[in-house]
Amino acid sequence: MKEPVRVAITGGAGNISYSLIFRIAAGDMLGPDQPVILQLLEIPPAMDALKGVIMEINDCAFPLVHGISGSDKPEEAFKDADIALLVGSKPRGKGMERSDLLKANGDIFSVQGKALNDNASKDVKVLVVGNPANTNALIAAANAPDLDNKQFTAMMRLDHNRALSQLAQKTDSQVTDIDKMIVWGNHSATQYPDISQATVNGKPALDLVDRDWYENDFIPTVQKRGAAIIEARGASSAASAASAAIDHVRDWVKGSDGIVSMGIPSDGSYGVEEGIMFSYPVICKNGQYEIVQDLEIDEFSRGRMKTTEEELRSEREAVAALL
Ligand code: NAI
């Protein structure tokens, strides 16, 4: 039997975690032969609810769960963590401006970045799910000077998966028939879901759909999917977000099957400002991700990438004091 992997999850009593933790415990993220120790973090008012979640996990008698703990102290929850899923964050309250939200979450993610720096495994892989995910990841990375900022990533996989599903439905194909889907930029309505590189069963996607559908239906549908789920379900996407988090970490650890989208620290590739957490097309291999280089970017794509880059730059400015 392999040594257990320590997985820390914040926001353990929240909606996403209620799906996420159980799937990790069942082996969906790291495989059916990889035991895990689950280290859950919550804030004090949610500790009772967290206790209930832990009781349920115990009641599942998952063979892969070799330990589970709950804490309201980041330094305990992140102790020796190999993987950290930062899901918990502060939701936008009534009348709250985006800058207030950035600031409120900035405080959480600077504390958690420091706690990861001081307590987690030196090789910890961090995925930030809590919104605004890209800028929260930037703050956490900036507060962890002893870790490589490449160890911090933001979740764009839900957007990527939404884009795959929309294109598959439109072209009457399966998601597995699609290659080279990309979502660039920020996990927000400025993101750019790009099918200009994509193929469906080897054929260029743009030869199979009309331009009007691409620009005026596909792109806004993917960009605004989160709001559409809230409208339909009366609650935000939780199971699909959990599923995307599992896909993101599984591919990072075990390798991806082709291109996937990840929010990562920009190294300046494709002319994007260095340092911001920008979603790029990457390929994962041997526990690392690499940006796919040398894709031809047309003028339309360039404009969309600029818009989402500018938003990330302004978010960075708004939290400059925390970096
Ligand atoms: P939720 O409100 O049900 O759960 C969040 C949990 O985090 C709560 O239990 C809360 O007590 C906890 N929490 C708050 N501050 C914390 C802290 N400092 N430390 C530890 N725990 C803390 O929210 P839900 O639905 O689970 O979503 C979580 C986050 O994920 C939200 O910010 C949401 O916007 C974001 N999200 C991101 C997506 C992405 O694609 N990147 C997709 C869907 C949601």
Side-chain angles (χ1 to χ4, degrees):
M1 201 34 130
K2 292 179 173 173
E3 278 292 300
V5 166
R6 291 181 179 271
V7 183
I9 303 169
T10 76
N15 281 310
I16 293 177
S17 289
Y18 198 63
S19 171
L20 179 64
I21 301 171
F22 292 83
R23 289 196 51 196
I24 294 172
D28 289 356
M29 187 169 82
L30 299 173
D33 58 347
Q34 179 57 66
V36 289
I37 295 175
L38 301 168
Q39 305 181 168
L40 311 179
L41 181 69
E42 259 299 345
I43 48 174
M47 286 307 284
D48 275 343
L50 185 65
K51 205 160 110 193
V53 172
I54 293 175
M55 286 159 71
E56 282 202 76
I57 293 171
N58 284 327
D59 292 350
C60 293
F62 285 116
L64 291 174
V65 176
H66 283 206
I68 178 159
S69 58
S71 173
D72 56 9
K73 296 179 186 62
E75 58 278 13
E76 276 178 21
F78 294 151
K79 185 87 193 119
D80 299 326
D82 301 297
I83 292 169
L85 303 168
L86 309 189
V87 181
S89 70
K90 224 187 180 100
R92 194 169 187 156
K94 252 202 175 134
M96 209 174 180
E97 294 295 328
R98 193 170 169 84
S99 55
D100 299 332
L101 183 73
L102 281 164
K103 174 75 179 63
N105 281 298
D107 292 339
I108 295 175
F109 286 84
S110 53
V111 168
Q112 294 187 354
K114 280 192 194 82
L116 283 164
N117 188 70
D118 296 345
N119 299 282
S121 153
K122 286 298 159 223
D123 299 318
V124 65
K125 286 179 161 61
V126 183
L127 168 62
V128 177
V129 175
N131 278 321
N134 303 53
T135 296
N136 288 341
L138 180 74
I139 294 168
N143 284 278
D146 303 329
L147 301 175
D148 186 337
N149 68 348
K150 281 192 85 176
Q151 291 171 253
F152 290 80
T153 63
M155 189 163 96
M156 296 297 295
R157 189 58 173 265
L158 181 54
D159 311 287
H160 182 96
N161 288 347
R162 287 166 172 167
L164 285 176
S165 152
Q166 291 299 319
L167 182 61
Q169 286 175 54
K170 180 69 178 177
T171 55
D172 206 9
S173 58
Q174 305 301 318
V175 288
T176 45
D177 298 332
I178 301 173
D179 203 11
K180 299 199 190 114
M181 177 62 78
I182 305 171
V183 180
W184 303 90
N186 198 4
H187 173 69
S188 76
T190 67
Q191 65 177 261
Y192 171 41
D194 174 8
I195 64 169
S196 68
Q197 313 287 339
T199 58
V200 183
N201 286 314
K203 296 190 196 86
L206 282 178
D207 290 353
L208 302 173
V209 300
D210 59 67
R211 188 84 204 173
D212 181 58
W213 176 80
Y214 173 43
E215 290 184 19
N216 300 316
D217 191 335
F218 171 81
I219 293 177
T221 298
V222 176
Q223 287 174 329
K224 296 183 198 147
R225 189 68 164 179
I229 303 269
I230 293 174
E231 174 77 26
R233 209 173 82 89
S236 67
S237 17
S240 54
S243 197
I246 282 173
D247 288 348
H248 177 116
V249 174
R250 184 199 57 229
D251 285 356
W252 190 1
V253 172
K254 295 164 89 77
S256 63
D257 189 14
I259 290 180
V260 290
S261 307
M262 282 170 75
I264 57 173
S266 167
D267 62 357
S269 292
Y270 294 99
V272 173
E273 168 88 356
E274 211 172 318
I276 55 173
M277 285 280 172
F278 193 85
S279 180
Y280 277 107
V282 301
I283 288 182
C284 305
K285 223 194 280 175
N286 303 323
Q288 310 287 337
Y289 55 80
E290 289 297 336
I291 298 173
V292 177
Q293 300 290 349
D294 300 326
L295 297 170
E296 218 168 286
I297 307 294
D298 63 21
E299 210 169 308
F300 176 80
S301 297
R302 184 74 58 199
R304 294 291 176 137
M305 286 159 70
K306 246 317 134 285
T307 304
T308 190
E309 178 192 345
E310 272 158 19
E311 183 181 47
L312 281 169
R313 288 162 75 137
S314 77
E315 287 187 15
R316 183 178 62 178
E317 254 164 55
V319 300
L322 297 166
L323 300 177

